[in-house]
Amino acid sequence: MPSERDFSERELSEREFIVEADGGSRGNPGPAGYGAVVIDAATGETLAEAAEYIGVATNNVAEYKGLVAGLRAAHQLDPAASVHVRMDSKLVVEQMSGRWKIKHPDMKPLAAEAAGVYPSSRVTYEWIPRAQNKHADRLANEAMDAGKRGERWSPSESTADLDTRAARAAAEPVGSVSVGTVGPPGDAVAGAARVRAGLAATRAGAGAGAGAGADTGTSTGAGAGADASTGARTGAGADEAGGADARAARSAAVPPVGWAAPADLGAPATFVLLRHGETPLTPEKRFSGSGGSDPSLSDVGRAQAERAAAAFAARGTIQAVVSSPLRRCQETARIVAARLGLDVHLDEDLRETDFGAWEGLTFGEVRERGPRELNAWLASPDAAPPGGESFAAVADRVAAARDRLAAAHAGRTVLLVTHVTPIKTLVRLALGAPPESLFRMELAAASVSAVAYYSDGNASVRLLNDTSHLR
């Protein structure tokens, strides 16, 4: 999504925008992304930026998607404006100008989408050398870099605008004045970019330290991968003593935030958390833990796993697959891993809660048979179903798995195929939330969540219960 600012009706009348767009693919086809920037033609001010990692695609597809994003960003600012598009893709410029025919089937719908944003009478196209398209190029590379980390591009963390201005200023003779080099008075976009660049320089020059960094960026959308929106990093530490909640509380206690935060300690270990697909028990809402019949996936569950696999393959960020040993997770994990060309590793601590005597029963049936035991279980994480396992015990083993896997996969993105309770527990501990929060989260079958773990012991929840890949 583009970042933008508001304008009065007077400012929006008879405006002219410049849209610069670019796209790239690291492999062609390969991991791809686009970038686009909307510039006020009168002042040279940057009005909006857009960038996105789009998975595996060709250069041409990425460039067309950048064009569409740039035109849409301009349209959001003023649907009556005139737009001059500048791109370093001769193919896109010539095709959109009507001088070259569009023959490739992948290009036709994208060209039609671009042509439908504004009336053709309001849009002109110009080819420019790549060296003059640096802003959009930097945005596209930022998006691809974010995608490689399993994240979404964040406008608040982008330095493309400042980098481009600085490059232009450095190339100009001393004493010359260039529109857009500094920006008009009150240019909040440029000012924010300068602050971000200053923070980036500070982070790069600072040594590693303890405490939690605080991301101030936002991201949009919900892809099938680790993405997400970021906020203050809080969460679960890796102390040896005490329970999972005690470890989480200690690591989250009064961390420095915002500009007072210490240096970024490098790429996190990112857990992409996939709940297994449906089993015959899922739609009946029956307790199905690690002490019951260990059901297989249903036909619906296998289809869900296939869709998740396709989404992860398009995203291209998963580097390892770890699964609960229960059959429904192993089947889900193998479907995904086969699509990604990876092996499946099992971790016993990722299994579901043992629900003991409640296995295979509905909530209503449990209430009828043992209301006292059920109420005690709902009231305390230390209470266990008859013959089963408490949530406190589950939290201890899930925290142990978290610490072990985060250390083994530092700086990598790993897919954990597991169950409702382990996923909710990882999210709860990362947020420092109380045990009762387990009953206040929804996790659909084959849904995707994500948590990132940093080397200073802090965590950031980036996604929860995403099912967009199933639609």
Side-chain angles (χ1 to χ4, degrees), residues 356-373:
W358 298 349
E359 293 280 358
L361 302 179
T362 65
F363 190 88
E365 289 170 342
V366 170
R367 183 174 291 282
E368 288 179 4
R369 299 183 186 191
R372 184 177 302 174
E373 290 86 355

PDB file of all heavy atoms in Angstrom, residues 356-373:
ATOM      1  N   GLY A 356      -6.661 -35.966  27.461  1.00  0.00           N
ATOM      2  CA  GLY A 356      -7.062 -37.050  28.350  1.00  0.00           C
ATOM      3  C   GLY A 356      -8.430 -37.615  28.037  1.00  0.00           C
ATOM      4  O   GLY A 356      -8.731 -37.986  26.894  1.00  0.00           O
ATOM      5  N   ALA A 357      -9.298 -37.663  29.066  1.00  0.00           N
ATOM      6  CA  ALA A 357     -10.627 -38.253  28.926  1.00  0.00           C
ATOM      7  C   ALA A 357     -11.541 -37.456  28.006  1.00  0.00           C
ATOM      8  O   ALA A 357     -12.615 -37.945  27.618  1.00  0.00           O
ATOM      9  CB  ALA A 357     -11.275 -38.376  30.304  1.00  0.00           C
ATOM     10  N   TRP A 358     -11.141 -36.231  27.669  1.00  0.00           N
ATOM     11  CA  TRP A 358     -11.988 -35.409  26.804  1.00  0.00           C
ATOM     12  C   TRP A 358     -11.716 -35.638  25.312  1.00  0.00           C
ATOM     13  O   TRP A 358     -12.417 -35.069  24.472  1.00  0.00           O
ATOM     14  CB  TRP A 358     -11.767 -33.933  27.117  1.00  0.00           C
ATOM     15  CG  TRP A 358     -12.127 -33.549  28.525  1.00  0.00           C
ATOM     16  CD1 TRP A 358     -12.796 -34.300  29.438  1.00  0.00           C
ATOM     17  CD2 TRP A 358     -11.829 -32.309  29.156  1.00  0.00           C
ATOM     18  NE1 TRP A 358     -12.946 -33.620  30.619  1.00  0.00           N
ATOM     19  CE2 TRP A 358     -12.354 -32.374  30.475  1.00  0.00           C
ATOM     20  CE3 TRP A 358     -11.171 -31.148  28.769  1.00  0.00           C
ATOM     21  CZ2 TRP A 358     -12.242 -31.330  31.384  1.00  0.00           C
ATOM     22  CZ3 TRP A 358     -11.062 -30.103  29.669  1.00  0.00           C
ATOM     23  CH2 TRP A 358     -11.586 -30.195  30.970  1.00  0.00           C
ATOM     24  N   GLU A 359     -10.725 -36.412  24.979  1.00  0.00           N
ATOM     25  CA  GLU A 359     -10.394 -36.648  23.565  1.00  0.00           C
ATOM     26  C   GLU A 359     -11.614 -37.186  22.812  1.00  0.00           C
ATOM     27  O   GLU A 359     -12.286 -38.125  23.261  1.00  0.00           O
ATOM     28  CB  GLU A 359      -9.248 -37.650  23.439  1.00  0.00           C
ATOM     29  CG  GLU A 359      -7.914 -37.152  23.958  1.00  0.00           C
ATOM     30  CD  GLU A 359      -7.188 -36.242  22.987  1.00  0.00           C
ATOM     31  OE1 GLU A 359      -7.694 -36.004  21.881  1.00  0.00           O
ATOM     32  OE2 GLU A 359      -6.085 -35.756  23.341  1.00  0.00           O
ATOM     33  N   GLY A 360     -11.896 -36.559  21.668  1.00  0.00           N
ATOM     34  CA  GLY A 360     -12.989 -36.988  20.814  1.00  0.00           C
ATOM     35  C   GLY A 360     -14.341 -36.447  21.200  1.00  0.00           C
ATOM     36  O   GLY A 360     -15.324 -36.650  20.471  1.00  0.00           O
ATOM     37  N   LEU A 361     -14.458 -35.736  22.339  1.00  0.00           N
ATOM     38  CA  LEU A 361     -15.735 -35.195  22.790  1.00  0.00           C
ATOM     39  C   LEU A 361     -15.889 -33.746  22.350  1.00  0.00           C
ATOM     40  O   LEU A 361     -14.907 -33.031  22.114  1.00  0.00           O
ATOM     41  CB  LEU A 361     -15.845 -35.269  24.317  1.00  0.00           C
ATOM     42  CG  LEU A 361     -15.724 -36.655  24.959  1.00  0.00           C
ATOM     43  CD1 LEU A 361     -15.829 -36.535  26.474  1.00  0.00           C
ATOM     44  CD2 LEU A 361     -16.787 -37.604  24.411  1.00  0.00           C
ATOM     45  N   THR A 362     -17.130 -33.279  22.250  1.00  0.00           N
ATOM     46  CA  THR A 362     -17.382 -31.865  22.012  1.00  0.00           C
ATOM     47  C   THR A 362     -17.348 -31.123  23.342  1.00  0.00           C
ATOM     48  O   THR A 362     -17.397 -31.733  24.415  1.00  0.00           O
ATOM     49  CB  THR A 362     -18.749 -31.640  21.356  1.00  0.00           C
ATOM     50  OG1 THR A 362     -19.773 -32.032  22.278  1.00  0.00           O
ATOM     51  CG2 THR A 362     -18.887 -32.441  20.072  1.00  0.00           C
ATOM     52  N   PHE A 363     -17.299 -29.802  23.261  1.00  0.00           N
ATOM     53  CA  PHE A 363     -17.303 -28.992  24.477  1.00  0.00           C
ATOM     54  C   PHE A 363     -18.581 -29.243  25.277  1.00  0.00           C
ATOM     55  O   PHE A 363     -18.549 -29.361  26.513  1.00  0.00           O
ATOM     56  CB  PHE A 363     -17.187 -27.510  24.095  1.00  0.00           C
ATOM     57  CG  PHE A 363     -16.953 -26.591  25.257  1.00  0.00           C
ATOM     58  CD1 PHE A 363     -15.671 -26.320  25.696  1.00  0.00           C
ATOM     59  CD2 PHE A 363     -18.021 -25.969  25.897  1.00  0.00           C
ATOM     60  CE1 PHE A 363     -15.447 -25.462  26.772  1.00  0.00           C
ATOM     61  CE2 PHE A 363     -17.807 -25.104  26.960  1.00  0.00           C
ATOM     62  CZ  PHE A 363     -16.519 -24.857  27.402  1.00  0.00           C
ATOM     63  N   GLY A 364     -19.713 -29.320  24.576  1.00  0.00           N
ATOM     64  CA  GLY A 364     -20.970 -29.570  25.251  1.00  0.00           C
ATOM     65  C   GLY A 364     -21.001 -30.910  25.964  1.00  0.00           C
ATOM     66  O   GLY A 364     -21.534 -31.026  27.078  1.00  0.00           O
ATOM     67  N   GLU A 365     -20.429 -31.919  25.313  1.00  0.00           N
ATOM     68  CA  GLU A 365     -20.401 -33.249  25.939  1.00  0.00           C
ATOM     69  C   GLU A 365     -19.525 -33.247  27.187  1.00  0.00           C
ATOM     70  O   GLU A 365     -19.857 -33.885  28.192  1.00  0.00           O
ATOM     71  CB  GLU A 365     -19.889 -34.274  24.928  1.00  0.00           C
ATOM     72  CG  GLU A 365     -20.892 -34.557  23.806  1.00  0.00           C
ATOM     73  CD  GLU A 365     -20.298 -35.376  22.679  1.00  0.00           C
ATOM     74  OE1 GLU A 365     -19.049 -35.445  22.573  1.00  0.00           O
ATOM     75  OE2 GLU A 365     -21.078 -35.946  21.892  1.00  0.00           O
ATOM     76  N   VAL A 366     -18.424 -32.536  27.136  1.00  0.00           N
ATOM     77  CA  VAL A 366     -17.553 -32.447  28.307  1.00  0.00           C
ATOM     78  C   VAL A 366     -18.277 -31.741  29.450  1.00  0.00           C
ATOM     79  O   VAL A 366     -18.200 -32.157  30.620  1.00  0.00           O
ATOM     80  CB  VAL A 366     -16.241 -31.716  27.954  1.00  0.00           C
ATOM     81  CG1 VAL A 366     -15.450 -31.396  29.210  1.00  0.00           C
ATOM     82  CG2 VAL A 366     -15.411 -32.559  27.001  1.00  0.00           C
ATOM     83  N   ARG A 367     -18.995 -30.655  29.132  1.00  0.00           N
ATOM     84  CA  ARG A 367     -19.713 -29.928  30.182  1.00  0.00           C
ATOM     85  C   ARG A 367     -20.781 -30.806  30.822  1.00  0.00           C
ATOM     86  O   ARG A 367     -21.001 -30.753  32.044  1.00  0.00           O
ATOM     87  CB  ARG A 367     -20.344 -28.655  29.601  1.00  0.00           C
ATOM     88  CG  ARG A 367     -21.053 -27.820  30.654  1.00  0.00           C
ATOM     89  CD  ARG A 367     -21.541 -26.493  30.095  1.00  0.00           C
ATOM     90  NE  ARG A 367     -20.454 -25.581  29.764  1.00  0.00           N
ATOM     91  CZ  ARG A 367     -19.786 -24.866  30.658  1.00  0.00           C
ATOM     92  NH1 ARG A 367     -20.045 -24.989  31.956  1.00  0.00           N
ATOM     93  NH2 ARG A 367     -18.835 -24.061  30.276  1.00  0.00           N
ATOM     94  N   GLU A 368     -21.436 -31.617  30.029  1.00  0.00           N
ATOM     95  CA  GLU A 368     -22.466 -32.500  30.575  1.00  0.00           C
ATOM     96  C   GLU A 368     -21.862 -33.557  31.494  1.00  0.00           C
ATOM     97  O   GLU A 368     -22.417 -33.887  32.547  1.00  0.00           O
ATOM     98  CB  GLU A 368     -23.225 -33.187  29.439  1.00  0.00           C
ATOM     99  CG  GLU A 368     -24.165 -32.270  28.674  1.00  0.00           C
ATOM    100  CD  GLU A 368     -24.873 -33.009  27.551  1.00  0.00           C
ATOM    101  OE1 GLU A 368     -24.666 -34.246  27.437  1.00  0.00           O
ATOM    102  OE2 GLU A 368     -25.626 -32.365  26.795  1.00  0.00           O
ATOM    103  N   ARG A 369     -20.713 -34.096  31.129  1.00  0.00           N
ATOM    104  CA  ARG A 369     -20.125 -35.203  31.875  1.00  0.00           C
ATOM    105  C   ARG A 369     -19.334 -34.747  33.101  1.00  0.00           C
ATOM    106  O   ARG A 369     -19.250 -35.477  34.087  1.00  0.00           O
ATOM    107  CB  ARG A 369     -19.225 -36.025  30.957  1.00  0.00           C
ATOM    108  CG  ARG A 369     -19.967 -36.643  29.775  1.00  0.00           C
ATOM    109  CD  ARG A 369     -19.050 -37.512  28.937  1.00  0.00           C
ATOM    110  NE  ARG A 369     -19.722 -37.981  27.736  1.00  0.00           N
ATOM    111  CZ  ARG A 369     -19.244 -38.925  26.925  1.00  0.00           C
ATOM    112  NH1 ARG A 369     -18.068 -39.489  27.211  1.00  0.00           N
ATOM    113  NH2 ARG A 369     -19.907 -39.288  25.857  1.00  0.00           N
ATOM    114  N   GLY A 370     -18.711 -33.588  33.011  1.00  0.00           N
ATOM    115  CA  GLY A 370     -17.880 -33.147  34.141  1.00  0.00           C
ATOM    116  C   GLY A 370     -17.792 -31.650  34.222  1.00  0.00           C
ATOM    117  O   GLY A 370     -16.715 -31.078  33.962  1.00  0.00           O
ATOM    118  N   PRO A 371     -18.866 -30.960  34.570  1.00  0.00           N
ATOM    119  CA  PRO A 371     -18.843 -29.494  34.600  1.00  0.00           C
ATOM    120  C   PRO A 371     -17.818 -28.932  35.572  1.00  0.00           C
ATOM    121  O   PRO A 371     -17.213 -27.895  35.308  1.00  0.00           O
ATOM    122  CB  PRO A 371     -20.279 -29.124  35.003  1.00  0.00           C
ATOM    123  CG  PRO A 371     -20.827 -30.343  35.662  1.00  0.00           C
ATOM    124  CD  PRO A 371     -20.182 -31.510  34.976  1.00  0.00           C
ATOM    125  N   ARG A 372     -17.590 -29.598  36.681  1.00  0.00           N
ATOM    126  CA  ARG A 372     -16.634 -29.089  37.659  1.00  0.00           C
ATOM    127  C   ARG A 372     -15.220 -29.108  37.088  1.00  0.00           C
ATOM    128  O   ARG A 372     -14.468 -28.124  37.222  1.00  0.00           O
ATOM    129  CB  ARG A 372     -16.702 -29.929  38.934  1.00  0.00           C
ATOM    130  CG  ARG A 372     -15.802 -29.419  40.051  1.00  0.00           C
ATOM    131  CD  ARG A 372     -15.961 -30.249  41.312  1.00  0.00           C
ATOM    132  NE  ARG A 372     -17.352 -30.243  41.777  1.00  0.00           N
ATOM    133  CZ  ARG A 372     -17.787 -30.981  42.790  1.00  0.00           C
ATOM    134  NH1 ARG A 372     -16.961 -31.795  43.428  1.00  0.00           N
ATOM    135  NH2 ARG A 372     -19.056 -30.915  43.160  1.00  0.00           N
ATOM    136  N   GLU A 373     -14.842 -30.219  36.463  1.00  0.00           N
ATOM    137  CA  GLU A 373     -13.497 -30.315  35.879  1.00  0.00           C
ATOM    138  C   GLU A 373     -13.320 -29.299  34.747  1.00  0.00           C
ATOM    139  O   GLU A 373     -12.265 -28.678  34.607  1.00  0.00           O
ATOM    140  CB  GLU A 373     -13.248 -31.726  35.346  1.00  0.00           C
ATOM    141  CG  GLU A 373     -13.101 -32.785  36.413  1.00  0.00           C
ATOM    142  CD  GLU A 373     -14.455 -33.342  36.851  1.00  0.00           C
ATOM    143  OE1 GLU A 373     -15.503 -32.828  36.382  1.00  0.00           O
ATOM    144  OE2 GLU A 373     -14.451 -34.296  37.658  1.00  0.00           O
TER     145      GLU A 373
END
